Amino acid sequence: MSPGPLPSRAGCTSRTMAPAVCGTLLGLALCAGSLCVVRGATFLYHDYCVIGAGPAGLQVAYFFQQAGRDYIVFERSHAPGSFFALYPRHRKLISINKQYTGKSNSEFNLRHDWNSLLSHDRRLLFRHYSRDFFPNADTMVRYLEDFASLLKLQVQYNTAIIHVTLEKNEQAWNGHYFLLTDQDRKNYKCSCLLVAAGTWVPNVVNFPGSEYVEGYETVSINPEDFTGQTVLILGRGNSAFETAENILGVTNFIHMVSRSRVRLSWATHYVGDLRAINNGLLDTYQLKSLDGLLEGDLEDLAIVKDKKGKLHITLRFYLENRNISADIDSITLPQDELDNFATRAPYDRVIRCLGWKFDFSIYNRSLRMMPGKGNIKKYPQIKPSYESRGTRGLFVLGTASHSVDFRKSAGGFIHGFRYTTRAVHHLLENRHHGVRWPSTVYPITQLTNSIIKRVNEASGLYQMFSVLADIILLRDNATTFEYLEEYPIGVLAELEMQTGRKARNGLFVIIMEYGRNFSGADKDVFYYNRAVGEAQHAWQSNFLHPVIYYYKHLPTEREMRLRHPDWPLPRPDAIHHIVEDFLTDWTAPNAHILPLRRFLENCLSTDLRNFFAESCFLFAFTHEKLPPSCQQGYVRMQGLVGGQELRHHAVQAGLLQDYTHTDFSDDRPPDSHDGSQEQLMRDHGIPVHPLQHLVNAKDEL
């Protein structure tokens, strides 16, 4: 539903060209243009404020720009993508840049381009900036600068937002305005706030002796500085292994300690886990070359420095009643009681590589911006729609929104959040401007083709598997359907409200999934016979494959809430798995298309095959209801008319009988046929109606 005219901006709109007196809850305000003055404080107003000009901030800015919306992006640095100016420290990205796929379909190619943002400008594809499979981070900085400048995005640089609070106002879009203050004490006001600042605050574990630990963000990246040294690395993510990889050839040995076991991305199918490009330490560990991995809670550790500057690892409880600055000889070390203690050798350096977390410090308590729980506590709490759980109109984009699909999909990375950002923009367009979610209406005869086309080329479904889905809404007594692309399935129950589209006649949901028991840190993903090739066993597919859910009615919020925790959706009325394919090419007529079509026909109780005009002609005389292809084609003077070349092809394919060589030498009339009308239909490959025998008997009487 359209919200109507722009609500009061302290009583005015940004399109007000003449001064106007504005009433607010804070008192009288004077507004001119996009400038509002409230009790002496000046606020620059925009409908949408975006914090952060990283990839997610620039992506949503592009969509706002294309839609002609009033927005501003605040960036604390002098250029976009400031995170990539420093990280990764060793400058090699782990997001792939595949130059060649053997296909020219641009949508398909985005499945294997993990760095490009979405835009209409073909110059802004990352492959034009680098040919490296794993590009340099400096190239990403240059790419983001060009993206912002070439598209003329509204970015305000050197503006660090240091405080955000709320101003209640019943006339505002969401019942309040967002008030922002920058480092120069300038004030800004907006109706909707989008946080795309990422996670950039280093995770730090405090324990006795942690002051001796160097951080990933400041440690030297020159391997020569580590020559002949013994190094302990805290952490087990890509930053930890990246650091180890850089110094692997010059150190005495490297030990790595973390609370959890190593998680390999090829086993978990999560791109944020350890990638093969960084896992050289696993080789040297398992091939007995001094390096090693240990598991332990970092908060239980303690570090003691001896007179020579060497760092000794002990346990916190040994120091509970002692002064850590005391002489090391007076401190009990684990090896004093266990002489083969794993980390008994002293270290020259200890490096912390524990990743980053979201900066909550700038948000006033009125916004109720709270951290998540458990392993997502580094992210703010948000709904599956990417809106804050505490404040309406506050959305989190990019890496910081990864709590929605942490360790499940790619929402924390460019190749994932470029699509979730677009989904958020569609939600905002519907909520605030009455622009419904984009959709296309097709006749039901195109249902199979539409699904096959999308599962074979759609990059959003492919990258954000089990998170974004294509929705097919049945209309007009299932004679047409409406196709919506890449909708967040976590808010499926809210589809009508969030999209402005109606789901009254049932719906299909198309998503991509891995096999239920195929992903995990402890899984052997290379076991023999791991692939499924037969359509009848498609439900056992392990690799990423399309899954179609059919619901007679839109699932309710209760059904979504009570679904199995490992299921992306509630139990459907029917479900179909398209069997996995080694080439991710789901176009095989027998293995992929035919089972899908029959599933759709069973759900709709109709025949989705396409018929030649001759067959439709016979149906018109022998059946009460024509197949959809005849109703929407032949009856409307459309469809395939049997020309000589087409008829010859149909005869060769066994779809029509060849009458050109029929022997009429006997006494039968030339237009007669051997057998009844029932036989004629069989000759044309047309199913016989169950009551046809009664019709024939009546004719004989």
Side-chain angles (χ1 to χ4, degrees), residues 300-303 313-320 332-334 341:
D300 293 337
L301 297 182
I303 298 177
I313 304 301
T314 183
L315 301 177
R316 180 191 289 264
F317 70 84
Y318 283 122
L319 303 177
E320 288 180 348
T332 302
L333 298 177
F341 182 64

Side-chain angles (χ1 to χ4, degrees), residues 546-562:
V547 183
I548 296 89
Y549 293 72
Y550 172 64
Y551 296 96
K552 295 179 180 178
H553 306 284
L554 187 67
T556 64
E557 291 188 14
R558 183 177 184 275
E559 290 172 334
M560 292 292 294
R561 187 173 61 256
L562 297 180

Side-chain angles (χ1 to χ4, degrees), residues 249-274:
V250 298
T251 52
N252 296 331
F253 59 80
I254 302 171
H255 288 166
M256 188 178 291
V257 61
S258 178
R259 180 173 52 191
S260 59
R261 58 169 292 177
V262 65
R263 299 172 61 92
L264 302 170
S265 61
W266 66 61
T268 62
H269 300 111
Y270 172 62
V271 298
D273 285 331
L274 178 60

Side-chain angles (χ1 to χ4, degrees), residues 98-113:
K98 193 170 179 63
Q99 294 281 310
Y100 305 102
T101 64
K103 296 187 179 183
S104 59
N105 186 305
S106 58
E107 178 70 10
F108 174 86
N109 289 340
L110 279 174
R111 290 182 169 187
H112 310 286
D113 172 358

Side-chain angles (χ1 to χ4, degrees), residues 314-329:
T314 183
L315 301 177
R316 180 191 289 264
F317 70 84
Y318 283 122
L319 303 177
E320 288 180 348
N321 299 316
R322 291 184 178 272
N323 184 357
I324 191 172
S325 61
D327 187 88
I328 189 171
D329 294 333

Side-chain angles (χ1 to χ4, degrees), residues 342-362:
T343 57
R344 61 186 179 274
Y347 297 94
D348 295 293
R349 306 174 84 151
V350 179
I351 306 172
R352 166 182 45 77
C353 303
L354 300 174
W356 302 268
K357 60 184 178 181
F358 183 78
D359 181 15
F360 292 92
S361 65
I362 68 172

Side-chain angles (χ1 to χ4, degrees), residues 35-187:
L35 205 63
C36 289
V37 180
V38 181
R39 283 195 172 183
T42 302
F43 290 88
L44 182 65
Y45 179 87
H46 293 279
D47 288 347
Y48 297 98
C49 292
V50 182
I51 300 179
L58 296 182
Q59 185 67 87
V60 77
Y62 167 76
F63 293 126
F64 284 146
Q65 184 110 329
Q66 291 298 106
R69 303 305 174 198
D70 173 29
Y71 76 95
I72 188 69
V73 181
F74 300 111
E75 169 55 44
R76 59 181 175 168
S77 181
H78 66 282
S82 58
F83 182 88
F84 291 100
L86 179 61
Y87 303 116
R89 292 296 314 284
H90 304 89
R91 310 313 291 151
K92 180 172 285 191
L93 299 173
I94 57 174
S95 48
I96 65 173
N97 177 41
K98 193 170 179 63
Q99 294 281 310
Y100 305 102
T101 64
K103 296 187 179 183
S104 59
N105 186 305
S106 58
E107 178 70 10
F108 174 86
N109 289 340
L110 279 174
R111 290 182 169 187
H112 310 286
D113 172 358
W114 291 10
N115 299 283
S116 296
L117 295 178
L118 305 178
S119 80
H120 64 279
D121 194 334
R122 308 301 299 169
R123 296 174 298 173
L124 292 171
L125 290 174
F126 201 85
R127 61 185 177 86
H128 298 314
Y129 287 77
S130 174
R131 299 182 65 85
D132 295 333
F133 191 70
F134 294 109
N136 189 282
D138 294 330
T139 308
M140 174 59 73
V141 174
R142 182 164 59 90
Y143 172 79
L144 295 176
E145 289 176 348
D146 284 356
F147 191 90
S149 60
L150 291 177
L151 296 173
K152 297 180 172 55
L153 303 181
Q154 303 301 309
V155 183
Q156 184 171 310
Y157 298 107
N158 299 309
T159 304
I161 300 300
I162 62 172
H163 189 253
V164 183
T165 188
L166 289 181
E167 174 192 284
K168 297 293 184 180
N169 191 312
E170 294 181 357
Q171 297 182 15
W173 285 355
N174 298 291
H176 49 251
Y177 291 111
F178 296 92
L179 305 181
L180 290 69
T181 304
D182 68 14
Q183 78 278 15
D184 296 323
R185 302 300 172 182
K186 293 181 180 178
N187 301 303

